[in-house]
Amino acid sequence: MQKILVMNKNKLLFQLISCFLFSLLGLQIKISASHNSIETIVFYRSFIGTIILYFLFLFYKKKIVVARNKNIKFHILRSLFGVLAMYFGYKALTFIPLSLASTIGFTKVFFASLMSWFILKERLKIKNFFLIILGFSGVYFITLPSTISQIDGIIFSLLSSIFVSGGIITVSYLTKKETTINILIFHSAISSILTFLIFFDGISFNVQESFFSLFLLTITALTAQYFNVESYRDEKASSIILIGYTRIIFSTILGFLFLEEKISFLALFGILVIILTTFFVQKPQLQKG
């Protein structure tokens, strides 16, 4: 019993660390985007990540056998979702504050519910349907005090959430079949190829001056991903979901301290609406925990 309690505490700590690191990643992207294109950031985030993970994989597993991987189709699909989610999510950060981007990111809960209903034919309760509509009204309140450029950022952030939702569905399948490091290395490798093919014209290969910042950004992203996947692995209790909201708090603090970002009252109200509605949509998972 004590061992189970320790494991659950570790899962919560892993999610807390993940939330802080994802918020820190947002800060790093906003700073890096001032002298690198988003396409360049996405490419090197994946490419450098592949190299790092490859050496880690060699250290722990000795070799990678791609041809025998029965889940390659899911890895490709997950990577496509991931590349588009990164691109639109990183792009959004160039227009809106960290706290707003983090909050709108939680609309992935709504999109995941809708996708599960539409694609996987899972039951969608009427109550949750209206909660989803109410949740999107929170996005509306966030847009009210916004400038035209911020509205563009909100649209990019919503598009990112859609693709994140697709990624959630594929990752939920892959975590039942493979180790975390295997999922991460396939994601990084395939994402590098897809980013190169899709965004070739926008990628700069002259990044000597900013390589170190791109390297640190990649380390933050990989570590955040690792702790996030591990926190959800074989974990049904959803206090983890509640811990996930600390991401908004961390983003707000980092944005205020390092970027002097401020939030209007209407935007705060919109943030509260999104937090409450995503919480109640996920409530069945909380009850299972």
Side-chain angles (χ1 to χ4, degrees):
M1 180 67 179
Q2 186 176 1
K3 186 177 180 181
I4 294 174
L5 289 174
V6 171
M7 287 178 65
N8 286 340
K9 286 182 180 179
N10 286 339
K11 299 289 185 181
L12 298 180
L13 179 60
F14 287 169
Q15 181 61 204
L16 189 65
I17 294 172
S18 171
C19 287
F20 173 75
L21 290 174
F22 274 125
S23 299
L24 179 62
L25 176 63
L27 176 64
Q28 290 174 299
I29 290 166
K30 285 183 80 75
I31 294 172
S32 182
S34 63
H35 48 273
N36 289 304
S37 69
I38 296 301
E39 293 86 350
T40 299
I41 295 173
V42 173
F43 174 73
Y44 282 99
R45 147 72 186 91
S46 300
F47 182 68
I48 297 173
T50 302
I51 296 172
I52 294 171
L53 288 169
Y54 177 71
F55 283 108
L56 284 175
F57 203 97
L58 287 179
F59 180 78
Y60 287 107
K61 300 289 183 178
K62 305 300 182 183
K63 62 179 180 179
I64 304 173
V65 186
V66 178
R68 296 180 186 176
N69 194 299
K70 298 178 181 179
N71 305 312
I72 192 67
K73 291 181 181 179
F74 287 93
H75 283 294
I76 293 173
L77 186 60
R78 193 250 168 158
S79 298
L80 178 60
F81 285 141
V83 166
L84 295 174
M86 278 191 289
Y87 175 77
F88 287 115
Y90 293 3
K91 192 78 171 177
L93 287 169
T94 63
F95 295 104
I96 57 178
L98 279 173
S99 56
L100 296 189
S102 294
T103 304
I104 296 172
F106 278 93
T107 60
K108 66 188 178 186
V109 173
F110 305 144
F111 291 119
S113 297
L114 293 172
M115 282 185 179
S116 296
W117 167 65
F118 185 73
I119 299 173
L120 303 178
K121 307 301 179 184
E122 292 183 1
R123 185 183 175 189
L124 179 63
K125 295 181 179 179
I126 297 296
K127 179 184 72 174
N128 281 358
F129 180 75
F130 284 110
L131 281 170
I132 290 171
I133 294 175
L134 181 60
F136 282 119
S137 74
V139 178
Y140 171 74
F141 283 112
I142 288 175
T143 63
L144 285 179
S146 302
T147 62
I148 296 298
S149 63
Q150 284 183 318
I151 292 173
D152 288 341
I154 290 167
I155 292 172
F156 287 139
S157 194
L158 286 170
L159 288 171
S160 176
S161 291
I162 292 173
F163 292 114
V164 167
S165 302
I168 289 172
I169 293 174
T170 52
V171 168
S172 65
Y173 170 83
L174 289 170
T175 52
K176 296 178 178 66
K177 305 290 183 180
E178 301 184 21
T179 62
T180 299
I181 193 169
N182 204 57
I183 293 171
L184 291 177
I185 193 169
F186 272 101
H187 175 59
S188 291
I190 298 171
S191 294
S192 298
I193 297 170
L194 291 176
T195 305
F196 182 81
L197 294 174
I198 297 171
F199 301 115
F200 176 79
D201 290 340
I203 299 172
S204 171
F205 298 98
N206 183 24
V207 292
Q208 290 88 341
E209 293 182 2
S210 57
F211 181 81
F212 184 66
S213 64
L214 290 170
F215 177 79
L216 289 180
L217 184 153
T218 303
I219 293 292
T220 302
L222 290 177
T223 311
Q225 276 188 316
Y226 176 82
F227 280 113
N228 188 51
V229 173
E230 283 299 305
S231 70
Y232 278 103
R233 183 180 292 279
D234 302 322
E235 182 60 49
K236 294 181 181 179
S238 353
S239 39
I240 288 200
I241 292 173
L242 296 177
I243 295 294
Y245 289 107
T246 59
R247 193 171 187 180
I248 299 173
I249 298 172
F250 288 135
S251 294
T252 303
I253 293 172
L254 290 175
F256 176 77
L257 290 177
F258 295 98
L259 303 171
E260 298 182 353
E261 294 179 343
K262 297 178 182 178
I263 308 174
S264 69
F265 175 78
L266 278 174
L268 282 173
F269 181 73
I271 289 173
L272 180 62
V273 169
I274 293 173
I275 289 174
L276 290 175
T277 50
T278 53
F279 170 79
F280 283 111
V281 168
Q282 297 175 102
K283 194 174 180 181
Q285 297 179 49
L286 287 166
Q287 292 172 338
K288 288 179 184 177

